[in-house]
Amino acid sequence: PVREPVLELTTPKLYSSVDAAANNTEFHAGTCGKGEPMQGIPVWFGGPSIRIRKVRLG
Amino acid sequence: MRKRGAYAGNSCLVRRPVNQNQESEARMSELSKAIIRECMKGKADDVVVGVETSENSQVKFSNNKIITTENSKSTNVMVFVSMKKRVVLTTIKDATMSAAVKSAKDLIKFAKTLPKNNDYRGIADGPFKYRKLNTEKLDFDSVSLKGIQSVKDAIKLASQKGAHRVAGIWEASKTRTELHSTGDVSAQDEGATFYFSMRAFTNEKSSGHSVCSATGLKELKIDSSVKEATDIAKQSRGAGTLEPGNYDVLFYPLAAANLADNAGHGTSIFAVESGMSFFAGKLGTKVASENFSMHDDATDESGIGSRRFDLEGVPTQNTPLIVNGILKNFLHNTSTAKKYRTKTNAHAGLVSPEPMNLIVDGGNVNKDSLISSMKRGLVVTNLWYTRFQNSATGDFSTVPRDGAFEVINGKLRPVKDIRVSDNLALMLMRVKQACNDSRWIIGWEVETPTKTPSLLIKDVRVTRSTG
């Protein structure tokens, strides 16, 4: 086990590094918020476990 | 209880005669007492009812135009009940008598199903004396019209100063709070808050952000905010990359407040008990450099978090949190104070004690002079998405947003695409200097009104994406 690895990537690099997706799709309920004024909207998000290759962790 | 931006809906600009205001105040008082009576009928032990009525005005602007104006009124009723140590708290939005009484009955039924909270030790015993109210008489209709003109003037000024486009918001709120409890508390508070935020762009990638807030309209320094936002946007043109590494970083007030607010929330005893504070177990010990002091003072009426009493009616006070680096106090309500054999410092939060008006002590160094004297470092004007990997240890990261600048021999070079990835507990230990430019900050990323100067922090770890 490792403690608190840091992954810092750009979005294009993240998605282009995915080379496999598992069959364990999960979804979670959440709230997407904005300020001024504070407003939230219920959202639904999720997906499977994914594997990304050749990225550097800090 | 004064929450900036608590909007319940739209209303036209309506002038309310004074006698209607008094009628409304009497009704809120009767509502509170009716809820308490209903809860006591249901065999509650302690009841606290707080009613907050607000009038709000907002002007939003984007792409150099006013896009929305909205005036609204809202009433929120907070009800706290304990019954044989079964504790429940709710907010009722429908402030009609029938709805409130029904909600009280439902709350009692719900409380009976809950497990006991053996840590609960009661609410404050009043009555209390409160400091005098210094409320500006506000004609909210004319305030709203002034807001529209203020925004028009701000957009024009930003353009004159070189911004290609601007976006932001002007807000005003007038709030009245009525609090009653079975601890013989009967308290009233009133106040106004004003807020302005502008993000200025000189092209798609160069921007500056500034905010200001005040409890009086005359104290709202909009022109200064416009100038700061446009200056940062102009300076940040042509931003390049930065090598990751450790830098001495000067955080402008907007950024420093982000860090201070997170540290301030860590002083709540609730955060300590729930494993969300890196101050746990450190009372009376050194938690910051001797150059860093912070207190929470809801009696400071220049801050929009100021109030006469906390959420159980205890008169607010100035609470030292960190003095010359030493952690002096955690934030308590009556129940948590009894558990820790101390006195409440009036920061209820009946579930979680909270900071109200955080103030970081300023220094005597001019910010520009400090930058001129820096051989190598970084200037960060704003931070966004400050998130902890581990609140208990303080490991976190945050994204410098808008203008960020490498300093080389006192000269600024704009940079972009960097992240501060460090430990906030250790960063507090490395505060080297506080400047003399303290200002009140509030906003999306700074939840508690926080007055802070620019802060120079040594050896801050700065990273950039690896791909």
Side-chain angles (χ1 to χ4, degrees):
Chain A
V2 296
R3 193 176 69 179
E4 295 171 15
V6 176
L7 175 69
E8 188 177 346
L9 289 178
T10 60
T11 310
K13 174 68 176 174
L14 172 70
Y15 288 120
S16 61
S17 301
V18 176
D19 77 337
N23 60 0
N24 63 342
T25 298
E26 289 179 4
F27 290 98
H28 302 276
T31 303
C32 187
K34 55 168 279 295
E36 299 173 347
M38 185 64 68
Q39 291 171 318
I41 190 163
V43 294
W44 189 237
F45 58 94
S49 298
I50 55 171
R51 185 172 69 195
I52 55 177
R53 292 281 201 188
K54 293 183 183 165
V55 294
R56 200 168 128 208
L57 297 180
Chain B
M1 286 185 73
R2 186 178 304 139
K3 286 185 180 177
R4 197 176 54 78
Y7 293 82
N10 294 321
S11 70
C12 303
L13 281 171
V14 172
R15 183 175 293 280
R16 282 194 309 182
V18 169
N19 59 352
Q20 282 190 10
N21 286 341
Q22 290 170 342
E23 196 179 284
S24 173
E25 287 162 16
R27 193 173 80 77
M28 290 301 113
S29 179
E30 282 313 305
L31 188 85
S32 303
K33 291 170 185 170
I35 292 172
I36 291 177
R37 276 195 303 269
E38 198 58 45
C39 292
M40 295 309 284
K41 258 198 253 173
K43 308 265 193 282
D45 299 314
D46 300 322
V47 186
V48 181
V49 179
V51 182
E52 183 183 83
T53 53
S54 301
E55 279 190 86
N56 308 289
S57 179
Q58 185 188 80
V59 180
K60 289 188 84 162
F61 58 102
S62 180
N63 290 324
N64 302 331
K65 290 180 187 161
I66 292 176
I67 51 170
T68 307
T69 63
E70 180 178 296
N71 279 17
S72 62
K73 294 174 193 167
S74 63
T75 300
N76 291 302
V77 182
M78 175 210 73
V79 183
F80 172 89
V81 169
S82 83
M83 179 190 296
K84 295 185 184 7
K85 289 189 177 275
R86 291 170 171 81
V87 173
V88 63
L89 174 74
T90 193
T91 302
I92 304 168
K93 299 282 187 180
D94 183 345
T96 58
M97 188 64 79
S98 57
V101 168
K102 181 180 180 305
S103 295
K105 286 179 181 167
D106 290 343
L107 207 59
I108 292 291
K109 269 190 219 165
F110 181 62
K112 287 175 182 170
T113 68
L114 295 174
K116 285 187 183 183
N117 177 357
N118 289 317
D119 271 348
Y120 176 70
R121 285 164 169 78
I123 58 173
D125 287 323
F128 297 102
K129 284 187 182 166
Y130 302 104
R131 68 180 189 281
K132 196 177 158 196
L133 264 179
N134 295 315
T135 309
E136 185 178 324
K137 294 289 176 201
L138 271 188
D139 174 348
F140 216 69
D141 296 344
S142 69
V143 161
S144 305
L145 293 172
K146 280 179 188 165
I148 293 171
Q149 191 57 50
S150 295
V151 168
K152 286 180 179 174
D153 293 342
I155 293 171
K156 188 175 169 188
L157 180 62
S159 175
Q160 286 168 353
K161 291 205 171 290
H164 292 179
R165 64 182 178 95
V166 293
I169 194 165
W170 177 97
E171 279 185 325
S173 285
K174 186 172 81 172
T175 303
R176 188 175 189 284
T177 304
E178 179 101 24
L179 194 90
H180 297 271
S181 81
T182 49
D184 201 11
V185 166
S186 177
Q188 295 79 34
D189 199 0
E190 278 183 36
T193 64
F194 300 91
Y195 170 72
F196 177 79
S197 168
M198 174 182 275
R199 176 167 276 115
F201 295 83
T202 49
N203 58 41
E204 282 314 305
K205 296 187 178 181
S206 305
S207 63
H209 184 202
S210 182
V211 303
C212 55
S213 66
T215 50
L217 196 51
K218 289 179 193 156
E219 285 78 39
L220 193 65
K221 306 290 179 205
I222 293 178
D223 285 2
S224 298
S225 279
V226 172
K227 183 175 183 308
E228 182 177 46
T230 49
D231 283 350
I232 293 171
K234 285 188 293 188
Q235 288 171 324
S236 64
R237 280 187 284 223
T241 57
L242 180 77
E243 278 304 300
N246 284 16
Y247 291 83
D248 291 355
V249 179
L250 181 67
F251 293 96
Y252 274 17
L254 187 55
N258 190 312
L259 303 175
D261 184 30
N262 277 284
H265 276 92
T267 64
S268 164
I269 195 65
F270 182 86
V272 171
E273 289 189 331
S274 52
M276 305 284 283
S277 171
F278 50 80
F279 293 127
K282 295 183 180 172
L283 200 58
T285 68
K286 186 171 161 62
V287 295
S289 98
E290 61 273 11
N291 303 311
F292 185 84
S293 295
M294 180 167 72
H295 56 281
D296 190 83
D297 188 3
T299 69
D300 184 334
E301 291 179 7
S302 67
I304 66 173
S306 65
R307 64 202 69 178
R308 298 169 90 200
F309 46 83
D310 70 0
L311 283 187
E312 53 182 337
V314 178
T316 49
Q317 61 183 64
N318 182 356
T319 304
L321 296 174
I322 299 173
V323 178
N324 299 328
I326 306 295
L327 182 64
K328 290 294 192 184
N329 285 290
F330 290 128
L331 302 178
H332 282 285
N333 58 32
T334 296
S335 177
T336 63
K338 283 181 183 171
K339 178 180 174 184
Y340 288 89
R341 295 182 196 204
T342 183
K343 289 185 181 171
T344 177
N345 42 34
H347 282 88
L350 286 151
V351 172
S352 174
E354 295 295 339
M356 298 169 183
N357 253 1
L358 286 166
I359 299 171
V360 177
D361 284 8
N364 51 18
V365 169
N366 175 272
K367 180 182 75 192
D368 294 327
S369 302
L370 183 60
I371 292 172
S372 299
S373 70
M374 286 169 76
K375 287 199 165 49
R376 180 179 175 269
L378 203 57
V379 167
V380 168
T381 64
N382 194 10
L383 292 172
W384 217 251
Y385 294 133
T386 300
R387 298 290 183 268
F388 284 81
Q389 286 137 273
N390 190 328
S391 306
T393 60
D395 295 322
F396 83 114
S397 76
T398 180
V399 182
R401 190 178 176 178
D402 304 300
F405 307 93
E406 185 184 22
V407 183
I408 303 173
N409 293 323
K411 303 287 182 213
L412 298 177
R413 176 180 76 88
V415 294
K416 61 179 181 177
D417 298 339
I418 55 173
R419 178 179 285 269
V420 169
S421 302
D422 206 309
N423 178 294
L424 187 54
L426 296 178
M427 281 174 69
L428 291 178
M429 293 284 202
R430 291 186 246 119
V431 173
K432 186 175 176 187
Q433 187 80 58
C435 295
N436 62 358
D437 59 345
S438 287
R439 341 197 315 238
W440 283 107
I441 302 290
I442 182 86
W444 167 253
E445 285 282 326
V446 182
E447 187 184 309
T448 307
T450 301
K451 186 176 182 183
T452 178
S454 296
L455 290 175
L456 179 66
I457 303 181
K458 290 174 55 170
D459 292 329
V460 176
R461 185 160 166 254
V462 177
T463 60
R464 68 163 189 237
S465 71
T466 55

